[in-house]
Amino acid sequence: MFLMLKLPRMLVSHGIRSNRVFIGWKIRFNFAHYFWLIVTTFFSTKNKSVVGATVFFLFVQVLVADEVSQNIKTWTSKAGTKIKASLISAKHHEVKLKTKEGKILSLHPHKLSEEDQEFVFTEFPLTKIAQSIIGKRIIINDQGSTVTVVFQFNEDGGFEFGTEESGKIIKEQEGLIYKIKGLEVEIFKGQEKTNRLKFYNSLTKIGDTLSFGLSRTMVNGKIISLEPAKPF
């Protein structure tokens, strides 16, 4: 009996020292801690339902700890670099990872391997509007004028736009990025917001109206072409 009672205490003590370094030891610590609780509860009460409830709680704790451990995976970038981390959150323009040391990493999903991108967006699916416009070129007729405007949402987060004249596209600005918020897309140059686009349908299609501009009076246009993104 003495050895039976002493063993959980030894495991708990060892688990406390190791818990700060290895998640695996955290599981053992939790198991030992609640095993000790079961033993003491068993010999201190005649109500065996209490013991049953404690066993169930132990089982849940082990499953939770094991899930945390399994969430850590090896991530590979398109450049071939690797890192072990868990996935915290993801949007179309940003993936947040947490290393075993607790460091938070933020990067664009396009920098990850195709396999890891698929994993990310299985866990955090893209919105319908994001699926509809990312990697696409949208051409609109500016209502009220004869100008044809081209908007392009590159997969790497870059945004390009220009005007089409005589079959040629004149690019307007370099170094732009975009962020999708609901049915609006905000365009940035560094930290400065330079434009915004408003869609009226999450499943973008030819014939839809698109508004753009920063002022209260936005310019409206009708989508006349929707095609894959390509070099300007």
Side-chain angles (χ1 to χ4, degrees):
M1 177 63 68
F2 174 76
L3 289 176
M4 183 177 179
L5 296 176
K6 186 176 180 181
L7 178 59
R9 291 177 179 173
M10 294 172 62
L11 288 173
V12 170
S13 175
H14 182 67
I16 291 175
R17 292 194 300 268
S18 305
N19 185 43
R20 298 178 181 177
V21 182
F22 299 105
I23 293 178
W25 284 114
K26 181 177 180 180
I27 299 173
R28 298 180 187 181
F29 166 74
N30 286 338
F31 186 87
H33 175 76
Y34 291 108
F35 177 77
W36 170 245
L37 181 61
I38 291 172
V39 172
T40 55
T41 303
F42 183 83
F43 288 102
S44 63
T45 182
K46 295 181 180 180
N47 188 350
K48 303 310 177 190
S49 63
V50 174
V51 178
T54 307
V55 171
F56 175 77
F57 186 63
L58 167 64
F59 179 71
V60 171
Q61 289 292 318
V62 171
L63 284 181
V64 170
D66 187 52
E67 182 180 353
V68 172
S69 176
Q70 290 178 358
N71 193 30
I72 295 179
K73 67 183 291 290
T74 300
W75 299 84
T76 306
S77 71
K78 284 188 175 179
T81 57
K82 298 179 182 293
I83 188 171
K84 289 187 176 181
S86 58
L87 176 62
I88 298 177
S89 64
K91 296 180 180 179
H92 73 93
H93 66 281
E94 181 182 52
V95 174
K96 287 189 176 181
L97 304 176
K98 185 176 183 180
T99 67
K100 291 193 291 185
E101 295 74 27
K103 184 178 180 181
I104 304 298
L105 305 176
S106 179
L107 69 160
H108 195 281
H110 187 70
K111 293 183 178 181
L112 295 171
S113 66
E114 296 293 336
E115 182 180 350
D116 284 344
Q117 287 185 54
E118 183 178 349
F119 175 81
V120 165
F121 293 122
T122 298
E123 296 294 313
F124 295 91
L126 289 170
T127 62
K128 289 183 179 180
I129 184 67
Q131 295 179 46
S132 188
I133 67 174
I134 292 177
K136 300 292 178 58
R137 171 179 289 189
I138 297 176
I139 302 177
I140 71 170
N141 270 340
D142 181 2
Q143 293 180 3
S145 73
T146 58
V147 177
T148 300
V149 183
V150 180
F151 297 125
Q152 182 159 296
F153 305 89
N154 296 326
E155 291 184 347
D156 63 1
F159 177 79
E160 297 178 276
F161 81 98
T163 56
E164 187 176 22
E165 296 181 9
S166 303
K168 294 183 179 180
I169 299 175
I170 302 174
K171 193 172 182 179
E172 297 293 337
Q173 200 171 358
E174 299 282 352
L176 299 175
I177 62 171
Y178 66 94
K179 295 181 181 180
I180 303 171
K181 294 184 177 181
L183 291 180
E184 288 198 357
V185 180
E186 297 179 335
I187 310 301
F188 293 87
K189 174 77 171 182
Q191 299 297 320
E192 179 187 2
K193 189 194 306 187
T194 62
N195 205 341
R196 68 188 177 106
L197 293 79
K198 184 176 181 180
F199 291 83
Y200 297 91
N201 190 343
S202 59
L203 298 176
T204 306
K205 62 184 183 303
I206 295 174
D208 284 351
T209 297
L210 172 63
S211 302
F212 56 97
L214 285 176
S215 63
R216 292 183 179 179
T217 305
M218 301 179 74
V219 177
N220 294 323
K222 182 168 289 187
I223 298 176
I224 61 173
S225 179
L226 184 64
E227 55 193 62
K230 53 189 174 185
F232 266 56

